[in-house]
Amino acid sequence: VNPEGKTDKEIALEGIDKLEEFFKNIGATTKLSELGVTNAEELEKIAETCFVSNGAYKVMTKEDIKTILINAI
């Protein structure tokens, strides 16, 4: 990503796009729906198995994790 003349947000978003493009080029999935995860019950099961570290940048609740998973479909 060339940062010249771009805001931090523009640089970050372009970096995300490039990373997604890389994953697709190597055949990796980028969305849970590509793995067959499509409903709230499956997301609930995934959220229950996630490890939450109190030493992370943000302590995440199960609801935080579910929100992230919903956006990953």
Side-chain angles (χ1 to χ4, degrees), residues 27-39 42-43 46 69 72-73:
T29 58
T30 59
K31 298 181 179 177
L32 290 173
S33 58
E34 295 171 349
L35 297 172
V37 177
T38 58
N39 64 56
E42 293 169 312
L43 294 178
I46 295 170
L69 294 171
I73 290 180

Side-chain angles (χ1 to χ4, degrees), residues 23-55:
F23 284 144
K24 287 181 179 181
N25 284 338
I26 64 170
T29 58
T30 59
K31 298 181 179 177
L32 290 173
S33 58
E34 295 171 349
L35 297 172
V37 177
T38 58
N39 64 56
E41 184 178 307
E42 293 169 312
L43 294 178
E44 185 76 26
K45 288 178 185 177
I46 295 170
E48 288 174 4
T49 64
C50 288
F51 172 76
V52 178
S53 171
N54 289 333

Side-chain angles (χ1 to χ4, degrees):
V1 175
N2 183 349
E4 286 186 42
K6 298 176 186 167
T7 65
D8 288 346
K9 184 175 180 177
E10 290 170 331
I11 294 166
L13 291 173
E14 186 176 342
I16 291 167
D17 289 342
K18 295 287 186 187
L19 183 59
E20 184 175 8
E21 182 181 317
F22 169 75
F23 284 144
K24 287 181 179 181
N25 284 338
I26 64 170
T29 58
T30 59
K31 298 181 179 177
L32 290 173
S33 58
E34 295 171 349
L35 297 172
V37 177
T38 58
N39 64 56
E41 184 178 307
E42 293 169 312
L43 294 178
E44 185 76 26
K45 288 178 185 177
I46 295 170
E48 288 174 4
T49 64
C50 288
F51 172 76
V52 178
S53 171
N54 289 333
Y57 290 107
K58 177 185 185 306
V59 176
M60 295 174 54
T61 66
K62 184 176 170 184
E63 289 304 313
D64 293 330
I65 294 169
K66 284 172 46 179
T67 299
I68 292 168
L69 294 171
I70 288 167
N71 286 311
I73 290 180

